[in-house]
Amino acid sequence: MWPYESVTRQEFESIKDVVETYIVMLGGNKVSIELPYEQRTRSYVGNDFVENISTRPVFEYKGEYYRVDEVCFPGKPFIVIEYGTYEELINNVMDEADPFPYDLTEDELLKEVKYSLGIEPYPENY
């Protein structure tokens, strides 16, 4: 069940598409990897949970692997970029960069992708 009235699942997924476009624009390469598990995300919003089965691609950037995921918080969904080594990707134990709101401006989204890829450091007051 999608609990948000401010954004549809389709609109949210289109913002994730933009984030993936930024990853490629910044030098990430989409890779074809057959994962041995289903990409499933569960977030709890109040007493309910939001479940998403993802078919999002994996990207390689400077020897690390990245994929765009989500965290659903009360109020609105956030985007999170997972990252790790090939082994962490295959074993589904990737780390997560700081989540960010889906409704940022395009410039702010691009900055978040740069932070997540390690191109720019997170601001100190972040």
Side-chain angles (χ1 to χ4, degrees):
M1 179 182 124
W2 186 249
Y4 306 105
E5 294 180 12
S6 61
V7 63
T8 66
R9 167 58 83 178
Q10 184 178 0
E11 291 166 335
F12 182 59
E13 293 295 327
S14 71
I15 301 297
K16 289 187 199 175
D17 293 341
V18 170
V19 169
E20 290 176 348
T21 300
Y22 291 156
I23 292 172
V24 171
M25 182 184 83
L26 294 167
N29 296 304
K30 187 174 173 181
V31 294
S32 179
I33 294 178
E34 185 79 26
L35 296 174
Y37 54 86
E38 185 175 57
Q39 294 182 60
R40 180 184 304 254
T41 302
R42 285 189 177 168
S43 298
Y44 290 88
V45 180
N47 293 328
D48 298 320
F49 70 90
V50 178
E51 183 172 60
N52 183 46
I53 297 172
S54 176
T55 56
R56 295 224 159 252
V58 174
F59 300 90
E60 185 274 331
Y61 177 75
K62 294 189 175 183
E64 293 284 315
Y65 291 84
Y66 297 84
R67 66 179 170 208
V68 177
D69 203 359
E70 65 187 51
V71 179
C72 294
F73 291 117
K76 65 181 167 183
F78 279 55
I79 296 171
V80 64
I81 298 177
E82 297 179 316
Y83 64 93
T85 64
Y86 178 80
E87 290 76 24
E88 290 168 331
L89 169 67
I90 293 299
N91 291 310
N92 198 24
V93 293
M94 297 174 76
D95 288 321
E96 295 178 344
D98 288 342
F100 51 91
Y102 79 93
D103 56 354
L104 298 174
T105 67
E106 288 188 19
D107 286 342
E108 291 169 327
L109 283 174
L110 179 58
K111 285 181 184 179
E112 290 293 342
V113 174
K114 288 178 179 179
Y115 302 150
S116 297
L117 295 178
I119 294 170
E120 291 184 10
Y122 283 99
E124 295 209 14
N125 62 350
Y126 198 72

